[in-house]
Every structure is written in structure tokens, then in C-alpha cells.
Amino acid sequence: MRIFIGLITGTLASATPILLAALGGAFTYYAGLFNIAMEGMLLVGAFCAVLGAYFFQSWLAGVLCAVLGATALALLFILFAIVLKTDEFVTGIALNLFAVGATTYLLRQIFDVKGSLSDPRLPAIPAVTIPLLHDVPVLGAVVSGQNLMVYAAGLATVISAYLIFGTRFGLRLRAAGHNAASLETSGVSAARVRVWALLACGVLCGLGGAFLSLGYVRLFAENMSAGRGWISLAAIILVNGNPWGLAVIALLFGFSDGLGLLLQSAQIPSQFTGMVPYLATLLALSVYATRRAKARPA
Amino acid sequence: MPRSFLTALAGILAALLIGAGVMLAQGYNPAATYAALFEFSLGDVDSLATTLKNAIPLILTGLSASVAFASGPVNLGQPGQLLFGALLATLGGLYLPLPAPLLIPSLLALAMLGGALWAGLAALLRRAFDMSEFIVTLMLNSIADLFTFWAITGPLADPDAFSPMTPAIQPAGWLPEWGEFSSALLVLALAAAGIWFVFQRWTAGYEWRLTGQNALFARLGGCNISRNFVAVMLTTGALAGLAGGLVVMAGPHRFLKGLGANYAWDGVMIAVVANNSLPGTLLYGLFFSALQTGALGMELITAVPSEFIQVLQAVIVLVVVASRGRLSEWLDVWAARRRARVKPLAPAPD
């Protein structure tokens, strides 16, 4: 039983940053942007979270700084891709490089450490106990007592789905991706809609990054996003950006991650168990591709 | 050519100015820093040799990315292909009982084979399942990273070493040094000439470039798109694999932990900034190598952390790419205005 609960908690913990980044990417996906900068936004978010938490001794300040930092990267994306009309792919690649470089450089400049920073005084994002549910035997241990950001990710899924499918903004967002010219003829600037999509992406990736460095661990390590931004991009491709689909995919990846940790206790080298999420991504992509091939009339 | 050279130069200067601004804001002396940076990378024969040697993996992974991007396939798998090239070359160097004249070419071939196989896996998945090579090569990078780390901590580990690494390969597999310069440079020159010939002068390369510019047109013209896709993936994988082999054979003569980490995204970065042109890749490879090589000397002299170079590289990429489009536009406008001034419209007849 304890293994089961541990597996579920591990699943939620690994799914959260991927889900938040993927939701951010969903906004830009619907807006018709080829945005691959989630990896860098997560990394900058994780760094700024530690920065804010360290100097203000508050996890809330950390989360706010993470959101600001990731949004700053989104603003750079806006400057280059939308204002200066640089190629989106190139902008994304360069911003990811910039994120790695800048966080490594600032880690050295501000904290005078190389590699990673962990400080026991860093405040963590708290876990939330839900009053009545907490005492229900099995359900309580699973539903209650998770990290605040896990609930935030769930809430973000609902809000994103509502914004994208239930509001005028969402309609314009999808129109910007589907047919920008017809959106322009109706008097709405597609560029402006894309700016909002990128800002939303920055905020969500900032939250995801804050969870990486102040959630279950309290440390920042160089390049600690470790491909999660790319996995979130794969998730977006798999479900065409649908927020509910993203939640399912993120949970699947989280589960494979948790399973990997479980396998590690079965004498399998940790390098192989570490491959599980990436292999799961490849498997999911192949299933998706086969399904798409079947759906297409021959 | 002169115009692309001009816009690139303007972009680099602008990026260096931004870098100088950042340094000023932090209280460093930009002039002294840049002077130290280039003195320690180009100042004397010794540092020039180091810069050239460090440029080898940058240029080879850059050529790999440039050829791939210009031909269509988004091969982002250079890091993984480099690691598998290095792994196969190390395996051959440890266990193949051959004399140097045979061993060195075999190891080079093995390195290319390793990279080609890892890229071929992505091509296979594309052919079999129609999976986008963009995500697949990225995932394969992470898997290659973990797999090679397992190999050098497990079956191939050097029991006497304190950190994960393999034992040294046989001295017969070491690339000889010619004075200050590594003979790996000759291999680089041959590889660069070879890929230039294939890409710019051969029928295959013509088809690849055609497909990269307009796949539909190429298909209607009779190119076998899917066969060309596999060929491009294998070729560019082999180039990245060769980079890994050369790093092992010319440098530490063993597979060290974190061998590929330094070159992870450099190839893609160089291809992007060079706009997939092969001569551009060569020049930017040398330029970025000079920045990276001079970084430690710069830190020594002016206390600017060597990590600053990573930021500077990203700024250069962004500014050069952004200014390429904008500047070109302004130059067009300026040229049009000048033409209009030189040859004014004939006055309307009364």
C-alpha cells in the first residue's frame, strides 16, 4: 500500500512541471506559434524561484520571481519573433541556449557556486492539507497533503481549458493559429493575440520552474529542466494542445518516471530507469503516429 | 556573399557591444576583457593550436546540423550521435588489435558508424511510424547520454579512476601531434571537403538541397524523397559521430564523463547562426571556438567568469539572426533610394 501511495505521489510530482509547461505551450500552439522555448522558460523559472526565495526568505516571493523571470524570457521571444520577425525556431533555440548560459553565469556571479546551489534555509513551497478529506484512509493520503503547485497545475488545466474553449479570447487565440488572415479582417491583431499567448506561456512555465526548484527539492542545479520542456512539447504534439489531453499525457509521463524509480530498487542500473520517460515519449509518439495513419483514408 | 558578410559582421559587433554593456553594468572593464579573450585564443601559436583543436567538434557538429537543416530533416541529435561515435571509437581503440596505420582509419570509420547508426534509428522511426525526427532525435539525445554514462561507469569503467571514465585506448589509436597542431585537423579538413563536394557538387547533394527548399517540387522532379531523407540522416549522423571519435582520439584518449556536454547544442547553434551555409559554419565554428578557448584566460586576467561566454554566444546568435533579416531589408530600401536619386524619373512631358 505504501508503495502504491508513493507511486501516486511520485507520479503527481513528476507530472506537475511537465503539465504546467505543456499548458503554457498549448496557448502558443493554438495561437499558431512554433514555440520551443519552454525548456528555457522552465530553467529560468527554476533559477529565479531560488533567487527570490533566497533573498526574501519566502517561497511566495520565489514563485513570483519565477513567474517574472520566465515572463521576461517570453518578452524576449516576443521582441525577436513577433516584433523583429526572426524565425520562431531559431529564436526558441537561441533563447534556450541563453537560458542555460544566463542561469549558469548568474549562479556563479550571485551565489559564487558552480554546478548546483542547495541551502537548507531555502523555504519550500508548502504542501496543502485538505481538512476533512485528509482523514479518509487511502483517498486522504492521495488527494490531500500534496504540494500546493500540484493543485495549482490541476486548477491551471481547468482555467486553460475554459480560456481556450469558452471565452472570446480563446476563440481569437484559435483563430490566430487556424487562419490569421481572417482574424485580421475581423479587426483583431493576430500579433497581439500571440503576445498574450506567449505571456501566458511565460507565467505557466514560471510556475513549473518554481516547482522544480522549490517543490520537493530545494535546490537549483545547472540545466535542471533536463528535457522536461521538450517532453511537454511532445505532449502538445500528441494531443494537439488540448488541456485535458495534456493532463492525461503528463500523468502518464509522471507515472513512467515513478515506475523508473521503482525499478531502480529492483537492481536495474539507474541510468536505464532514467531512460523510461524518454522511451515512454517515443512509445507514445509511435502509437499516435500509427493511429493517425489508420485514421487517414488510404 | 559580401552582403551576408556585412550583416553578420554588424550583428557580431552589435552583440559584442551588448556584451560590453553587461560587463560595464557589473563593473568589469570590457576592453581589457575582450583583449584577454582574444589574446588567449589567437595570441600565440600555442593558443591558436588549441583554438583550432577545440573548433573540430564545433565545426563537424555544425556541418552536420547545417547539411541536415538545409536538406529538410530537423536533425537535432548531434549530441547523441557524437556520444555514440565516441563510444564506438573508444570500444575499437580498447579491443581491436591492429597497428596504427590500420587502427586509426578503423576507429574513424567506427566513429562515423556509431553516429550514423544512432541517427539511422531516428530515420527508421520516421520511415516506420512517421514519427517527427525533431522530437525523436531530442529524446535519443537523452537516452544516449544515459546509455554512455552507464557504459563508462559499468562495463567499460576504468577501475583505477576516481571519476567515471574508460581506460585509455591503445597508443596506436592516438592521432599524432604535428608540432603544436593535432593531426585531427587534417581529418577535419578532409571531412569538410568531402561534405562540401557531396553537398554542393554531387547529384545527391543537389537533390538534398532541392528537397530542403521545396520538397514537393523535388518529388515532382523525380527525387526519391524518403530515400534522400535516410541518406541525409545517415550522413549528418556520421559527421557528428566523427566529431566524437576525434575528441577521443586527439584529446584525452579515453571516454570521460561529460565528454559531449560541452558541445551539446553548439552544432545546432552554429548552423543556425551561419544560416546553414557550409563556409559560414566553418567560420562561425572557428569564431565560437576562439570565444570558448579564450574564456579561461579571460577569467584569469579580468575575473569575468568564463560562463559569461555562454551568455555572449546566445546573444550573438539572437542578434546576428535578427539583424540578418532587418539589415538586409534596410539595405534594400537604401539601395532603392539611391538608385532613385541617381536616375530620377524623366519629367513628365508637357
Side-chain angles (χ1 to χ4, degrees):
Chain A
M1 198 67 228
R2 195 172 319 125
I3 291 179
F4 174 71
I5 292 172
L7 190 60
I8 289 191
T9 308
T11 298
L12 291 173
S14 358
T16 300
I18 292 175
L19 177 57
L20 284 167
L23 288 171
F27 280 96
T28 53
Y29 176 85
Y30 278 115
L33 283 164
F34 187 49
N35 170 18
I36 55 169
M38 278 90 77
E39 180 79 13
M41 291 185 191
L42 275 179
L43 188 62
V44 168
F47 178 78
C48 292
V50 166
L51 193 69
Y54 186 87
F55 283 108
F56 296 102
Q57 283 300 315
S58 134
W59 62 267
L60 192 62
V63 172
L64 284 178
C65 281
V67 168
L68 285 179
T71 311
L73 208 61
L75 284 173
L76 278 178
F77 197 109
I78 292 166
L79 171 68
F80 282 100
I82 295 181
V83 178
L84 296 172
K85 298 196 174 60
T86 311
D87 184 70
E88 287 156 12
F89 173 75
V90 172
T91 310
I93 295 271
L95 282 181
N96 287 334
L97 286 167
F98 178 74
V100 176
T103 51
T104 315
Y105 173 64
L106 290 174
L107 189 67
R108 178 95 190 272
Q109 272 300 44
I110 298 175
F111 299 106
D112 204 24
V113 290
K114 279 186 172 189
S116 69
L117 169 86
S118 71
D119 191 318
R121 286 169 303 169
L122 278 177
I125 300 171
V128 176
T129 312
I130 301 172
L132 282 170
L133 263 175
H134 192 65
D135 302 323
V136 180
V138 178
L139 195 69
V142 173
V143 175
S144 170
Q146 301 293 348
N147 191 286
L148 177 67
M149 210 51 90
V150 174
Y151 299 105
L155 192 65
T157 312
V158 180
I159 295 177
S160 303
Y162 173 70
L163 276 177
I164 292 172
F165 296 113
T167 62
R168 193 165 64 174
F169 167 73
L171 188 66
R172 289 174 174 174
L173 184 78
R174 285 176 289 140
H178 195 70
N179 192 337
S182 70
L183 181 70
E184 298 271 359
T185 37
S186 76
V188 180
S189 155
R192 193 165 297 168
V193 173
R194 288 182 177 150
V195 166
W196 283 112
L198 275 165
L199 290 176
C201 182
V203 170
L204 286 164
C205 287
L207 292 177
F211 179 78
L212 278 182
S213 59
L214 294 178
Y216 284 91
V217 293
R218 285 173 297 161
L219 65 90
F220 177 81
E222 270 172 32
N223 211 358
M224 80 179 299
S225 47
R228 287 185 183 82
W230 298 116
I231 292 184
S232 75
L233 187 67
I236 293 167
I237 293 174
L238 280 175
V239 297
N240 292 322
N242 186 305
W244 303 112
L246 289 178
V248 174
I249 298 283
L251 283 174
L252 278 177
F253 287 137
F255 181 72
S256 70
D257 214 9
L259 206 63
L261 287 178
L262 211 63
L263 287 175
Q264 211 170 318
S265 51
Q267 304 297 315
I268 296 173
S270 64
Q271 288 89 16
F272 284 102
T273 59
M275 290 178 197
V276 172
Y278 308 110
L279 290 172
T281 308
L282 289 179
L283 189 70
L285 280 171
S286 72
V287 170
Y288 165 76
T290 336
R291 207 185 51 192
R292 191 182 50 187
K294 269 189 200 143
R296 203 184 298 142
Chain B
M1 183 62 198
R3 172 178 286 194
S4 65
F5 202 72
L6 200 71
T7 55
L9 214 58
I12 290 173
L13 280 178
L16 289 180
L17 278 177
I18 295 176
V22 173
M23 281 190 264
L24 273 179
Q26 304 209 326
Y28 297 117
N29 179 348
T33 308
Y34 284 137
L37 184 64
F38 289 110
E39 204 205 312
F40 277 86
S41 55
L42 310 169
D44 53 80
V45 179
D46 219 17
S47 39
L48 187 68
T50 314
T51 298
L52 285 176
K53 190 174 164 185
N54 291 346
I56 295 169
L58 298 187
I59 293 174
L60 282 175
T61 50
L63 288 174
S64 163
S66 286
V67 169
F69 295 167
S71 313
V74 189
N75 178 6
L76 297 177
Q78 286 80 22
Q81 291 145 19
L82 181 142
L83 287 175
F84 264 86
L87 188 67
L88 248 65
T90 309
L91 267 176
L94 287 173
Y95 299 116
L96 279 182
L98 291 172
L102 289 176
L103 187 60
I104 288 179
S106 328
L107 294 190
L108 294 176
L110 273 173
M112 290 200 270
L113 181 72
L117 282 178
W118 202 238
L121 186 57
L124 188 75
L125 288 172
R126 167 73 186 249
R127 285 292 295 272
F129 297 108
D130 197 21
M131 288 158 71
S132 156
E133 73 281 0
F134 167 55
I135 298 280
V136 170
T137 49
L138 282 170
M139 295 298 127
L140 288 179
N141 283 345
S142 302
I143 293 171
D145 207 20
L146 290 162
F147 183 84
T148 51
F149 189 61
W150 167 77
I152 62 171
T153 48
L156 293 178
D158 180 357
D160 302 326
F162 293 106
S163 71
M165 61 172 79
T166 65
I169 61 173
Q170 313 159 46
W174 298 12
L175 281 170
E177 302 274 324
W178 295 330
E180 307 286 339
F181 295 92
S182 168
S183 54
L185 286 168
L186 179 69
V187 182
L188 168 71
L190 289 176
I195 192 65
W196 180 84
F197 180 75
V198 169
F199 193 61
Q200 302 285 359
R201 288 287 176 271
W202 227 22
T203 326
Y206 174 71
E207 288 196 6
W208 297 354
R209 281 181 287 136
L210 202 62
T211 312
Q213 280 170 17
N214 189 336
L216 184 65
F217 180 78
R219 191 160 63 86
L220 294 178
C223 299
N224 187 337
I225 300 288
S226 43
R227 200 189 60 203
N228 282 347
F229 180 88
V230 176
V232 170
M233 286 300 283
L234 291 178
T235 310
T236 55
L239 280 172
L242 183 63
L246 289 179
V247 168
V248 170
M249 293 165 69
H253 308 304
R254 55 177 86 216
F255 197 123
L256 297 167
K257 180 192 168 196
L259 177 89
N262 298 327
Y263 317 111
W265 280 91
D266 288 354
V268 171
M269 173 175 83
I270 289 167
V272 157
V273 80
N275 207 10
N276 306 337
S277 105
L278 301 193
T281 303
L282 210 67
L283 290 175
Y284 277 110
L286 290 169
F287 178 57
F288 282 122
S289 169
L291 292 181
Q292 294 175 2
T293 308
L296 280 176
M298 170 194 82
E299 180 170 336
L300 209 67
I301 301 289
T302 60
V304 175
S306 54
E307 288 85 356
F308 178 72
I309 293 307
Q310 291 188 28
V311 182
L312 190 64
Q313 285 182 354
V315 172
I316 290 174
V317 174
L318 273 173
V319 175
V320 167
V321 174
S323 66
R324 184 157 57 215
R326 294 272 100 173
L327 232 91
S328 221
E329 209 171 284
W330 287 334
L331 284 176
D332 279 339
V333 170
W334 181 68
R337 284 222 181 102
R338 211 179 45 165
R339 264 202 307 277
R341 214 175 303 137
V342 173
K343 273 192 284 177
L345 289 173
D350 295 320

